Amino acid sequence: QLQVQESGPGLVKPSETLSLTCNVSGGSISSNISYWGWIRQPPGKGLEWIGTIYYSGSTYYNPSLKSRVTISVDTSKNQFSLKLSSVSAADTAVYYCARRGPTGIPLAMGWFDPWGQGVLVTVSS
Amino acid sequence: QSVLTQPPSASGPPGQRVTISCSGSRSNIGTNTVNWYQQLPGTAPKLLIYSDNHRPSGVPDRFSGSKSGTSASLAIGGLQSEDEADYYCAAWDDSLNGVVFGGGTKLTVL
């Protein structure tokens, strides 16, 4: 059964870069031929899509975050990563990783499943 | 301001049927499929409905989805206390070239 799990620092200083990793288990990130995504949720607020990456490396980013976001995939480690630069308090949120699948479905027609449990990242000095 | 519009709250007594709406536009709901996610308190979102009206394995048939034009709906029949959660609709937006979510609807079982 495919599972995803986020990891990374829970506290980041303003103006620095937030870095998170999503480990994929129960299947190969490349053999699934799927898309993988990051979503965040500020405390007490709704969900916001950050970006999605194809196993081969093609990326799609939220236009509102595009200038600060980099998503990459490391097939050798079966994981994908998120970097968000120049963070501020507004970037404080629970960050989730998820697979956007299923295999073979066009990106626009897919859905996020499964989701990781999420990691709270607080931006504060 | 979310691209997809949902009512902030919904409620009903146990056993009743409740419907949650999700309004979008031609570039998202009007062109692409809608998915619904359930987020129980303190947990990660979980896929509830995919491709407008399909339930993943394990989701009770009390939950159903529908779509017409640029709007979608989630119906929950026979409300149970464990249905208290936040519900989010989502779709791909061709104009933004990305995923858009609704603002979420908090369901209370009275």
Side-chain angles (χ1 to χ4, degrees):
Chain A
Q1 180 181 354
L2 190 74
Q3 292 183 312
V4 294
Q5 178 68 59
E6 311 85 354
S7 63
L11 181 64
V12 181
K13 289 183 169 55
S15 79
E16 295 190 344
T17 296
L18 177 161
S19 296
L20 296 175
T21 296
C22 182
N23 187 63
V24 178
S25 60
S28 169
I29 198 169
S30 55
S31 67
N32 274 329
I33 314 180
S34 288
Y35 294 89
W36 308 89
W38 288 97
I39 305 100
R40 71 179 182 178
Q41 184 174 37
K45 296 187 178 181
L47 301 171
E48 179 182 35
W49 174 72
I50 299 171
T52 293
I53 188 166
Y54 193 44
Y55 82 103
S56 62
S58 301
T59 52
Y60 305 81
Y61 296 138
N62 186 322
S64 68
L65 299 170
K66 188 173 184 177
S67 63
R68 300 193 291 130
V69 172
T70 301
I71 297 177
S72 59
V73 64
D74 188 336
T75 55
S76 67
K77 294 182 179 180
N78 219 38
Q79 63 187 203
F80 60 104
S81 301
L82 167 70
K83 291 189 186 298
L84 181 66
S85 64
S86 304
V87 298
S88 68
D91 295 309
T92 293
V94 175
Y95 286 76
Y96 297 100
C97 67
R99 187 188 75 164
R100 185 163 178 89
T103 302
I105 293 290
L107 179 59
M109 299 299 176
W111 50 86
F112 289 116
D113 181 61
W115 294 60
Q117 66 183 31
V119 58
L120 174 62
V121 179
T122 301
V123 179
S124 174
S125 55
Chain B
Q1 192 81 358
S2 301
V3 174
L4 303 182
T5 301
Q6 297 180 236
S9 64
S11 63
Q16 193 171 58
R17 175 185 171 92
V18 167
T19 300
I20 297 171
S21 62
C22 175
S23 178
S25 65
R26 183 162 46 183
S27 64
N28 41 67
I29 295 178
T31 303
N32 300 304
T33 54
V34 177
N35 306 308
W36 290 89
Y37 301 93
Q38 177 193 57
Q39 186 175 33
L40 297 170
T43 69
K46 183 191 85 169
L47 180 67
L48 188 67
I49 297 288
Y50 66 93
S51 295
D52 299 337
N53 54 17
H54 294 79
R55 285 185 307 276
S57 174
V59 172
D61 59 7
R62 302 186 294 106
F63 295 90
S64 62
S66 63
K67 189 177 83 171
S68 178
T70 59
S71 293
S73 293
L74 172 69
I76 309 172
L79 271 179
Q80 299 181 6
S81 58
E82 55 260 39
D83 297 335
E84 281 205 343
D86 292 324
Y87 293 84
Y88 294 90
C89 60
W92 185 267
D93 190 293
D94 287 345
S95 297
L96 297 176
N97 205 30
V99 178
V100 290
F101 284 95
T105 298
K106 185 177 184 60
L107 175 65
T108 301
V109 180
L110 302 171

